[in-house]
Amino acid sequence: MSGKKVSMPIAVRIARWSRRLSWPIVKGLFILSVVLFVGGGLSYLFNRSDSDPLQMLRWAKSLAYAAFLLGVLRAYWEKIRQRYRTINLQHSEGHVVVCGIGDFGQSLVDAFLDKGYKVAVIELNAAHTEVVSLKSRGAVVIHTDASDPAALYEVNASKARYMFAVTGNDRRNVKIIRAARQTVLDEQNSGGDSDLRCYCHINDATLYEVFSQHEVFEAGHEGFYASLFNVHDAASRFLLEKYPPDAFAALPTAGSEPLEVVIVGQTRMGEALIRQLARIGHYLRWPSVQITVMDKEADAFEHFFSSYRDISPLDDTLVPGVTVRLVKKDPEKIKFVGDLDAGDLGNPALVCCCLDDETLNIALALNLRRMLDNDDAPIVACLTSGLSDLLQEKQCRYLSQRNIHSFNPYRFASDFQVLLDDAADKIARAIHQAYLDSLSGENVADNPSLVPWQQLPEEKKNANRWQADHLSVKLREMGYDQRGVAAIDAVVDDPLWLEKLSELEHRRWMAALYLDGWRYAETGKDAVRKTHACLVPYERLSQVEKGKDDTMIRNIKHLVESPEWQTYTAFVDKR
């Protein structure tokens, strides 16, 4: 470590000195005023000729006033400073408004403050433990209901650049975005300009689709753009891109063994990983994927699984080709091999510890590492606090040497490249653009999907995202890691390989639709009833429908050679 002394800005030094010395100065002035008062009084009583008692009393009075004024200023300084910053927001543009201080809200504030943005926080709970820390870092914090238009006017939301509704209550988050849109409309009606981008966090992924149909999230509002997001869904996409189970799994010997993944904890993060595995867990080398969920509560598992029960008559089938089983064990009591029954763990290619207790996640990861037969399978401990920064691989070799990794879903979701540059959607955008280019002659009236990315409904955006998430899987099946673009050319030139990958893409497409609530119908496609005639095995498709999958496989080379792919892979590799 370098011994070079880092210089501190003058303003920071003054601020630190003022906080450290202000109360000692107040006490010193008060003591000095008392001393002068007593000395002046004694001089007057004893009629000392060598001193001026009235002058001493005047000095005592002045110092007492100074001590009083300085004490009042110091006592109310934070309120005065916060009020000044709030007033200053009324004349600011391009600041950031964060509604709600949870773990994710804290990560957002930290990220924007580090980038030099002015940040205003609206938090209903005045006793929140992070309020003092945020104020000391320069954030404006007001305590009221963020869905109240008056609160948004106070932080000048119509002139903000970004706004995040992350209160932890889905209904309130949507109300906040509605109120924000109204403030923008009021600003525009009064002759002002706005360019506000709003992000609404939906905690319950099952409600995501319902809220995506809300009129406030429709495209076409000038000066106002709002979108939905779910931290856990976004983080699960990245986690499985960073630690793809098929890259670590042993090849099946008999051709029938499934690829196994273990998820500990039926939490929101655990459920998001199950859904993402069901979307992208479709391979050529493994006939199926088996997800083992380890949790002490069976009710939560049954509640989650019941939403997908009608996809297959088999109780453990989530989507065709992906099964889920529950191992009812208390993770806190798993310390030795004897605490698990034979077959509980299996031979997993990936283990994810998703419990809400971070310390337990780390302890469990270490215990499971000792229980597994080898160290090939990575174990990922999901941590939502600053503890994840302390356990990064380079700084904590004890974990990395055991193939144990920490992952902070909130830190990923608040990353600037994810929030502002749409790094996670680069490939999805490229896929949609290729779709637009291929159908440039068609009319929007005949095909509502022929619109720019920003105008796409959230359901259509997700369809492109799930297709993009499976691109890395297809590349590994092709052998792209070893042979590069030549591997793609070989597949496209080989009709047998091309058909295999087209069939794989069809399986992935069906799984995504099943999870989104679609079901089979004999004829056509009904977007209202969510029925589709193509939800059948690949061999039953018409040549026209098979051609759509074929086109997607042929487009892979174009995607891999695009700048979007280079940007996305660089983003993944850096984290």
Side-chain angles (χ1 to χ4, degrees):
M1 187 174 179
S2 174
K4 183 179 179 180
K5 187 175 181 180
V6 180
S7 62
M8 188 180 297
I10 298 294
V12 176
R13 292 184 182 183
I14 294 174
R16 287 191 174 184
W17 289 340
S18 65
R19 285 195 297 268
R20 186 183 305 166
L21 300 177
S22 55
W23 284 121
I25 291 174
V26 170
K27 292 178 183 177
L29 290 174
F30 180 74
I31 292 172
L32 185 57
S33 69
V34 171
V35 171
L36 289 173
F37 177 79
V38 173
L42 291 176
S43 297
Y44 181 80
L45 289 175
F46 292 101
N47 198 19
R48 295 283 301 270
S49 59
D50 57 344
S51 62
D52 185 352
L54 294 179
Q55 182 65 28
M56 294 177 69
L57 291 174
R58 282 193 291 269
W59 275 106
K61 179 181 178 181
S62 298
L63 291 176
Y65 279 145
F68 174 76
L69 291 174
L70 185 59
V72 171
L73 182 64
R74 182 64 181 87
Y76 291 94
W77 174 247
E78 285 301 326
K79 291 185 178 180
I80 295 171
R81 186 168 63 169
Q82 281 290 304
R83 191 57 191 166
Y84 169 77
R85 289 173 175 168
T86 304
I87 295 173
N88 192 37
L89 278 179
Q90 300 301 318
H91 307 284
S92 299
E93 294 183 4
H95 54 287
V96 179
V97 179
V98 178
C99 306
I101 311 176
D103 288 330
F104 183 54
Q106 177 72 30
S107 295
L108 285 171
V109 175
D110 290 341
F112 280 101
L113 286 175
D114 290 342
K115 290 290 184 178
Y117 280 83
K118 290 182 180 179
V119 178
V121 178
I122 306 177
E123 170 57 43
L124 188 60
N125 181 14
H128 196 287
T129 56
E130 295 296 335
V131 168
V132 175
S133 173
L134 293 178
K135 289 180 178 179
S136 67
R137 293 197 59 196
V140 176
V141 182
I142 65 172
H143 302 293
T144 185
D145 185 354
S147 62
D148 183 355
L152 300 183
Y153 284 115
E154 186 173 355
V155 297
N156 199 18
S158 62
K159 291 295 184 179
R161 184 70 185 93
Y162 305 105
M163 182 175 187
F164 297 88
V166 289
T167 64
N169 182 298
D170 295 339
R171 181 172 175 270
R172 181 175 297 155
N173 286 343
V174 175
K175 285 181 65 178
I176 291 170
I177 302 301
R178 288 189 64 187
R181 191 183 70 165
Q182 187 58 49
T183 63
V184 168
L185 292 176
D186 292 344
E187 178 70 23
Q188 293 172 342
N189 291 335
S190 63
D193 295 325
S194 294
D195 186 17
L196 179 62
R197 294 176 63 89
C198 294
Y199 300 86
C200 180
H201 183 230
I202 300 298
N203 287 288
D204 190 341
T206 59
L207 296 178
Y208 192 96
E209 179 187 358
V210 176
F211 283 116
S212 67
Q213 307 299 320
H214 199 286
E215 50 89 20
V216 77
F217 299 103
E218 293 178 354
H221 304 293
E222 184 178 354
F224 178 85
Y225 171 78
S227 63
L228 298 172
F229 72 100
N230 181 282
V231 166
H232 303 102
D233 280 351
S236 67
R237 294 175 59 200
F238 178 78
L239 189 152
L240 292 176
E241 184 71 37
K242 185 74 173 177
Y243 306 102
D246 59 302
F248 305 102
L251 292 175
T253 55
S256 59
E257 296 96 337
L259 186 151
E260 300 178 62
V261 176
V262 173
I263 296 175
V264 184
Q266 185 74 20
T267 58
R268 292 190 186 276
M269 187 64 197
E271 291 179 356
L273 283 170
I274 294 172
R275 285 192 295 270
Q276 184 65 1
L277 281 167
R279 295 186 190 105
I280 70 169
H282 305 277
Y283 311 97
L284 294 179
R285 292 171 289 175
W286 293 271
S288 62
V289 171
Q290 178 177 283
I291 305 172
T292 298
V293 178
M294 194 175 295
D295 197 279
K296 63 181 179 180
E297 298 291 342
D299 292 343
F301 177 82
E302 289 297 328
H303 176 73
F304 168 78
F305 202 70
S306 62
S307 302
Y308 311 99
R309 185 75 71 181
D310 61 334
I311 293 175
S312 169
L314 300 176
D315 286 346
D316 60 349
T317 299
L318 183 58
V319 296
V322 179
T323 60
V324 185
R325 68 185 182 110
L326 173 67
V327 173
K328 191 176 179 181
K329 300 283 186 181
D330 186 350
E332 293 187 32
K333 299 179 181 179
I334 300 175
K335 298 180 180 179
F336 306 101
V337 176
D339 296 330
L340 294 174
D341 297 329
D344 280 352
L345 281 179
N347 185 27
L350 174 68
V351 179
C352 297
C353 299
C354 304
L355 300 168
D356 292 327
D357 188 328
E358 297 184 333
T359 305
L360 182 57
N361 272 341
I362 298 171
L364 186 61
L366 291 168
N367 292 335
L368 291 176
R369 173 54 69 213
R370 288 193 292 268
M371 297 178 192
L372 293 173
D373 295 334
N374 57 66
D375 294 346
D376 295 337
I379 299 179
V380 180
C382 294
L383 312 174
T384 57
S385 72
L387 186 62
S388 62
D389 295 333
L390 300 176
L391 299 178
Q392 290 300 315
E393 284 79 352
K394 293 181 180 178
Q395 288 78 22
C396 191
R397 295 180 180 176
Y398 181 78
L399 294 181
S400 61
Q401 289 174 351
R402 289 159 176 77
N403 203 6
I404 298 175
H405 312 271
S406 67
F407 177 77
N408 189 331
Y410 296 146
R411 188 60 52 85
F412 161 76
S414 61
D415 188 285
F416 259 63
Q417 285 187 267
V418 175
L419 290 173
L420 309 185
D421 297 336
D422 289 332
D425 285 342
K426 291 289 186 184
I427 308 303
R429 285 171 173 265
I431 290 173
H432 179 63
Q433 188 58 50
Y435 176 75
L436 294 180
D437 294 341
S438 66
L439 300 175
S440 57
E442 292 194 13
N443 195 319
V444 178
D446 299 328
N447 188 345
S449 297
L450 295 178
V451 294
W453 174 266
Q454 293 285 15
Q455 298 178 25
L456 271 182
E458 200 65 26
E459 180 183 4
K460 298 294 185 181
K461 288 182 179 179
N462 282 336
N464 288 290
R465 288 171 181 140
W466 310 149
Q467 185 175 337
D469 291 344
H470 200 248
L471 179 58
S472 296
V473 173
K474 294 185 179 75
L475 289 175
R476 285 188 292 273
E477 294 286 1
M478 294 178 181
Y480 176 78
D481 293 342
Q482 293 78 31
R483 300 171 57 196
V485 177
I488 303 176
D489 292 331
V491 167
V492 173
D493 294 337
D494 186 334
L496 183 59
W497 257 105
L498 187 60
E499 185 175 18
K500 285 183 178 180
L501 284 168
S502 296
E503 189 268 342
L504 180 64
E505 167 59 19
H506 180 65
R507 283 162 45 197
R508 180 214 62 80
W509 174 83
M510 285 200 304
L513 260 66
Y514 276 133
L515 283 174
D516 198 31
W518 289 73
R519 297 297 178 263
Y520 169 74
E522 292 185 0
T523 57
K525 171 186 174 181
D526 189 330
V528 177
R529 297 180 179 274
K530 284 195 168 184
T531 58
H532 207 301
C534 291
L535 287 172
V536 294
Y538 180 77
E539 56 270 16
R540 291 174 54 187
L541 292 177
S542 67
Q543 289 302 316
V544 173
E545 296 299 332
K546 288 182 179 179
K548 294 179 181 179
D549 297 317
D550 182 279
T551 300
M552 190 277 153
I553 302 303
R554 293 180 183 276
N555 189 46
I556 288 178
K557 182 177 179 180
H558 169 73
L559 292 172
V560 171
E561 292 178 337
S562 68
E564 290 81 3
W565 175 255
Q566 307 304 323
T567 302
Y568 178 67
T569 53
F571 168 74
V572 173
D573 292 341
K574 278 197 312 182
R575 284 151 182 81

